[in-house]
Amino acid sequence: MAASRARQLEELPHGLLDSLFVPVALSTVGVFDARYLRVSPAFLNLIGRSWVEIAASHLVGPGAALSNPARDRRLMLLDIEGGYLAERATLRHASGRLIETVITAQRLRIDGTALDLEIFQPLPR
């Protein structure tokens, strides 16, 4: 990652990617090939994994994202509108347990590269 891109990521509001309390994920863009670039400690706690386990891995498959029509719809909103607010989504915990969440996301452009920033709110079980 270029130095200027790394600096821009560090400047995201309120240290979101370092949050112990707010689950946040920054990823590349793609239906099947999106990869994690950085996540907050709260996101790792939510999905029961370490950064070493998911670093640069695909969101779908080894990651926590589930490929389904709801995800396709959210990706379409990112493509067309550049973001969305409070969309329901299901993640997969390392144990296999499903986690119901609400996601707010925004498509960012950093040094000409499109990235997706997602903020998760787990729903009570």
Side-chain angles (χ1 to χ4, degrees):
M1 185 178 304
S4 64
R5 185 179 306 156
R7 187 173 49 257
Q8 287 174 315
L9 293 179
E10 294 301 323
E11 294 172 3
L12 287 172
H14 309 292
L16 278 177
L17 291 168
D18 297 318
S19 179
L20 298 172
F21 308 104
V22 180
V24 179
L26 181 70
S27 66
T28 61
V29 174
V31 176
F32 299 108
D33 59 349
R35 294 179 179 274
Y36 293 107
L37 293 176
R38 205 158 153 220
V39 300
S40 68
F43 181 79
L44 293 171
N45 186 52
L46 177 66
I47 65 168
R49 295 193 182 274
S50 69
W51 177 243
V52 171
E53 291 176 287
I54 66 166
S57 70
H58 291 111
L59 276 63
V60 176
L66 300 176
S67 180
N68 57 34
R71 181 171 185 269
D72 293 343
R73 180 182 168 284
R74 292 190 308 274
L75 289 174
M76 182 183 68
L77 289 171
L78 285 166
D79 286 340
I80 295 170
E81 302 197 12
Y84 56 81
L85 294 172
E87 292 281 330
R88 288 191 68 124
T90 304
L91 299 177
R92 183 180 42 248
H93 188 271
S95 68
R97 174 177 53 89
L98 297 180
I99 306 162
E100 296 300 320
T101 68
V102 172
I103 304 176
T104 294
Q106 182 175 356
R107 174 88 27 102
L108 306 173
R109 295 222 178 265
I110 299 178
D111 285 346
T113 302
L115 304 173
D116 290 337
L117 180 69
E118 298 173 305
I119 301 172
F120 300 84
Q121 179 181 356
L123 295 173
R125 292 187 218 180

